[in-house]
Amino acid sequence: MIEARNVSLEYNDHGKIVYACRDVNLRIAKGEFVGVLGPSGSGKSSLLYLLSGLKEPTAGSVLFEGKPYTHLSERERAEIRRKRFGFVFQYPYLVGFLTALENVIAGAEALEPARDRAEALLSEMGLGEKMHRLPSELSGGERQRVCVARALLWDPDVVFADEPTASLDAATGREVVRQLVERRRGALVMVTHDPRILGGADRILRIEGGLVTETSVEVAETADSRVEEG
Amino acid sequence: MAHPLAPYIFLLRNPARSVPITIVIALAVLLICGIVALVHSIPLSVREIYGYSRNFSAALPRSDPSYLPTLEAQLSESPVPIERVLKIRVAFFNVRSIVGKLPFVLHGLKPEDAAFLRQRMGLSQLTGRLPAVGAPEAVITRPIAVNLGLDIGDELLRPDDPQNYSPQPVRVVGIHESDYWFAYGDYTYVAQNHFPPVDDLVIVAKDQPRFDRWAVERFKGTKARILTHAELLRETDESLAVLLQLLSVVIGMLVVVVTVMIGLFINIYLSQRITEFGLLQAIGFTRGFLARRAGVEASIIVIGAWLLGVLVSVGVLWIVKITLMDPRAYFLDPLDWYGIAYTLPLPLAVLLASFLTIRIRFARFDPVEVIERRIA
């Protein structure tokens, strides 16, 4: 469904060319759960932005259903992001003057069905009592759950999650990821530096210095525990 | 159910941001409307106070009594039918206006001429009586009575008042209920006691504006001076032209100051909402949508504030008219369309500044920078 062909993203850091991603080739199939592991600054978030069309590669191309993003207008790319993708970012970004419920349905075109669905979704996620509260009245975990509900509202083809647990404590983070993994119907691309939250992943990609290699959950966890022990 | 991203939702839920801009624009509109309405009350006063001149024109022989028969003969050449030519004498007194005292004419009329003019001007309702022949008496209309605080029996002219002088006290014996400002006394008394000792002619024509145009052209360069309503308006406009130009400069400066201030406000508000815009663009809204939404928000607030400013202005000017102007028979138009027109550059300039600010802010907007908290 999404394909990266020889994709590179480079930027100029005080006269020095730095690669956020380098010659990346990968495919993400329908319904697949792909984890992207890597330390800070390894380029994993950049990879997510490239795959979701939020950034254009400096070389190569990213295709969605066979069409390169670069062949699409800004409007078409935005429509794909709004209707076919869902996003959960590192920080639980919500529109401050909208309630939790309104934040979930903000991207919807038909409001009434969206409202019914969002109410059900928020209730199932334990936010039934708080769906009419403003983000400032919610905890960090609750806000991130609202973000998950927003991403999952219309069962998007792909959900992109960029370090969704980074700003949460361990227990809340696990709960947010559990809900995200269990409720999704389409593919899930989750970027993290914590292999423990990638337990259900079909594939895990490791990225370092912009280079992507494929690995397994077990290897990733072992490597991670060695890092922690060391 | 309203869409959560409908522009007015933001404005309603963020009064701390929308109210200050609204107040600044509304106050600026009030200021402009107020200044223009007050300045325009000057020509309005002239038009209303001397409005009686719509009913006739005057021909003055420029202090040469021997010219009067010639003048009368020349008037008979008029292609416009003349209803009546009256020989009158004049005395002067002052009325009060918003710009100070204005000279006003006490028309010395013969009884038959006074009757004709009363009928012509619709001065039928009279409290008191008409002036007696040869007596120091005057009849005035209600606006003059209000303006000078006079009632029947009060003195209009006095020997000890250099600005409202007559050798004998001229008392008010009658007050007409009318919107016209008009004053008249007896011809004989005025002729015997007031300077210049020359008759003036009052010409009442069937088609007064047409006669006035003819008379002004016909007597150009002669010993006669022709006074018409149109000439009065033209001279008033000419004398106020410089004042109105200065007013335009002041309003222009005000518009620039308010526009810059609002532009800065909007720029600050857009900066404070960068996270919202970055998030919305990331999850699938185009920069165009977000810019349009910000533009509609700015339009609602600017147009709404302007309308509010106009309403407040009309209300405040109405109160000023009722409490301060009417009791003195001063003139003020609370619904001064010129004043409202003068405020139009303000919302237009503010909207232009808003759209430019929004366009510049969104031209190179990258949501990833917001999501990664490189800008927030």
Side-chain angles (χ1 to χ4, degrees):
Chain A
M1 188 166 48
I2 296 180
E3 186 181 357
R5 291 180 186 165
N6 302 317
V7 168
S8 292
L9 179 67
E10 61 183 51
Y11 58 91
N12 192 324
D13 184 17
H14 301 287
K16 187 180 158 194
I17 300 296
V18 177
Y19 284 93
C21 290
R22 193 167 193 170
D23 290 327
V24 176
N25 287 284
L26 64 89
R27 277 170 180 270
I28 292 163
K30 272 188 178 173
E32 193 178 21
F33 177 7
V34 178
V36 181
L37 263 177
S40 294
S42 58
K44 53 190 188 301
S45 291
S46 296
L47 179 61
L48 185 139
Y49 301 142
L50 289 167
L51 294 175
S52 61
L54 275 169
K55 268 213 174 293
E56 285 184 17
T58 46
S61 58
V62 181
L63 296 80
F64 176 67
E65 294 182 334
K67 276 188 191 168
Y69 286 131
T70 48
H71 289 190
L72 302 174
S73 66
E74 186 198 347
R75 189 190 186 87
E76 288 168 324
R77 288 201 303 273
E79 200 161 302
I80 290 172
R81 289 202 304 276
R82 190 153 55 90
K83 294 182 176 171
R84 310 285 300 273
F85 296 167
F87 291 90
V88 181
F89 300 108
Q90 185 174 350
Y91 301 100
Y93 288 121
L94 294 169
V95 179
F97 62 89
L98 299 181
T99 64
L101 178 65
E102 288 169 335
N103 263 285
V104 174
I105 64 173
E109 280 172 0
L111 283 183
E112 286 309 320
R115 185 192 171 98
D116 295 342
R117 197 174 163 85
E119 282 176 351
L121 198 54
L122 287 169
S123 296
E124 287 168 22
M125 295 175 76
L127 291 167
E129 301 289 313
K130 298 182 175 178
M131 66 174 75
H132 297 296
R133 291 191 186 178
L134 293 172
S136 57
E137 299 166 327
L138 300 174
S139 69
E142 288 167 340
R143 272 186 256 171
Q144 195 64 305
R145 274 186 280 162
V146 175
C147 293
V148 170
R150 182 183 62 204
L152 295 174
L153 183 65
W154 290 119
D155 293 331
D157 294 320
V158 189
V159 173
F160 295 96
D162 183 10
E163 301 267 20
T165 61
S167 61
L168 306 174
D169 62 69
T172 310
R174 277 196 299 277
E175 175 58 18
V176 166
V177 170
R178 185 186 66 78
Q179 302 224 1
L180 184 56
V181 172
E182 283 179 3
R183 291 179 189 284
R184 59 149 186 134
R185 299 280 180 275
L188 173 62
V189 180
M190 191 184 299
V191 163
T192 182
H193 63 277
D194 180 2
R196 286 168 297 190
I197 65 170
L198 297 177
D202 299 309
R203 276 193 300 154
I204 293 184
L205 308 173
R206 180 172 280 281
I207 184 166
E208 209 149 354
L211 290 168
V212 174
T213 53
E214 197 147 332
T215 183
S216 66
V217 178
E218 293 75 22
V219 170
E221 281 185 338
T222 311
D224 186 69
S225 60
R226 276 206 304 272
V227 170
E228 282 184 358
E229 283 162 15
Chain B
M1 182 189 183
H3 195 285
L5 297 180
Y8 69 90
I9 298 277
F10 170 80
L11 299 176
L12 287 177
R13 295 189 187 178
N14 292 278
R17 289 174 183 175
S18 47
V19 170
I21 293 182
T22 305
I23 289 174
V24 169
I25 294 174
L27 284 178
V29 169
L30 172 62
L31 190 62
I32 293 171
C33 262
I35 293 171
V36 175
L38 285 174
V39 169
H40 277 168
S41 76
I42 301 170
L44 180 64
S45 300
V46 172
R47 275 199 301 276
E48 293 295 328
I49 290 172
Y50 301 108
Y52 67 84
S53 63
R54 280 192 292 268
N55 294 284
F56 51 78
S57 49
L60 286 58
R62 293 192 194 273
S63 303
D64 180 3
S66 65
Y67 184 63
L68 202 62
T70 314
L71 181 55
E72 281 182 281
Q74 287 167 335
L75 282 172
S76 64
E77 299 166 9
S78 165
V80 183
I82 292 174
E83 221 170 303
R84 193 178 180 113
V85 177
L86 293 66
K87 282 186 184 164
I88 71 163
R89 290 294 180 101
V90 293
F92 294 95
F93 63 99
N94 284 332
V95 292
R96 298 190 190 107
S97 81
I98 193 167
V99 284
K101 291 175 179 175
L102 291 175
F104 202 79
V105 177
L106 174 70
H107 298 78
L109 300 175
K110 293 169 186 167
E112 64 276 18
D113 289 339
F116 172 78
L117 278 185
R118 280 198 299 274
Q119 200 246 332
R120 169 85 178 183
M121 295 170 69
L123 303 177
S124 54
Q125 206 180 334
L126 176 69
T127 307
R129 62 172 175 81
L130 297 173
V133 175
E137 295 173 347
V139 172
I140 58 176
T141 53
R142 181 60 65 190
I144 297 175
V146 171
N147 181 259
L148 297 176
L150 295 175
D151 209 340
I152 290 172
D154 291 341
E155 293 172 0
L156 178 66
L157 307 176
R158 282 188 301 276
D160 59 350
D161 185 346
Q163 292 178 329
N164 303 299
Y165 174 79
S166 188
Q168 297 176 51
V170 176
R171 293 185 185 278
V172 175
V173 294
I175 298 174
H176 283 293
E177 300 302 330
S178 170
D179 289 336
Y180 278 120
W181 292 52
F182 194 65
Y184 63 95
D186 178 62
Y187 174 90
T188 312
Y189 174 78
V190 177
Q192 288 172 351
N193 293 283
H194 284 271
F195 185 85
V198 183
D199 282 340
D200 294 332
L201 299 180
V202 162
I203 305 108
V204 181
K206 295 271 186 201
D207 182 349
Q208 197 68 46
R210 206 170 133 230
F211 171 81
D212 290 352
R213 284 195 296 276
W214 172 81
V216 167
E217 283 303 311
R218 172 64 185 80
F219 291 99
K220 223 177 241 178
T222 69
K223 285 184 180 175
R225 184 174 180 206
I226 305 295
L227 300 176
T228 67
H229 186 67
E231 288 292 294
L232 175 79
L233 297 185
R234 189 179 58 75
E235 284 172 17
T236 306
D237 289 345
E238 278 177 9
S239 62
L240 290 174
V242 174
L243 183 63
L244 290 173
Q245 281 171 356
L246 287 173
L247 181 70
S248 299
V249 172
V250 170
I251 289 172
M253 286 165 64
L254 186 68
V255 167
V256 169
V257 169
V258 173
T259 302
V260 170
M261 193 192 298
I262 300 291
L264 289 173
F265 263 135
I266 287 176
N267 202 21
I268 291 167
Y269 292 164
L270 288 178
S271 300
Q272 289 173 342
R273 296 174 68 189
I274 282 294
T275 307
E276 173 197 332
F277 295 137
L279 168 68
L280 291 175
Q281 198 182 340
I283 66 173
F285 290 93
T286 60
R287 279 180 300 180
F289 170 85
L290 297 172
R292 276 196 301 281
R293 178 167 162 259
V296 173
E297 283 171 6
S299 303
I300 290 173
I301 209 161
V302 171
I303 293 169
W306 177 76
L307 284 172
L308 177 70
V310 169
L311 285 177
V312 170
S313 303
V314 172
V316 169
L317 289 172
W318 194 263
I319 292 168
V320 169
K321 176 181 160 58
I322 288 172
T323 58
L324 296 176
M325 309 298 260
D326 285 352
R328 296 169 175 83
Y330 290 176
F331 293 96
L332 182 72
D333 182 4
L335 197 61
D336 185 336
W337 294 108
Y338 277 104
I340 294 170
Y342 265 96
T343 66
L344 279 175
L346 182 74
L348 293 176
V350 171
L351 275 180
L352 187 66
S354 308
F355 291 151
L356 277 176
T357 306
I358 291 165
R359 189 175 169 78
I360 291 167
R361 291 306 298 254
F362 280 99
R364 291 182 171 275
F365 187 65
D366 182 1
V368 170
E369 292 192 343
V370 174
I371 291 163
E372 294 204 322
R373 290 201 163 178
R374 290 204 289 269
I375 55 170

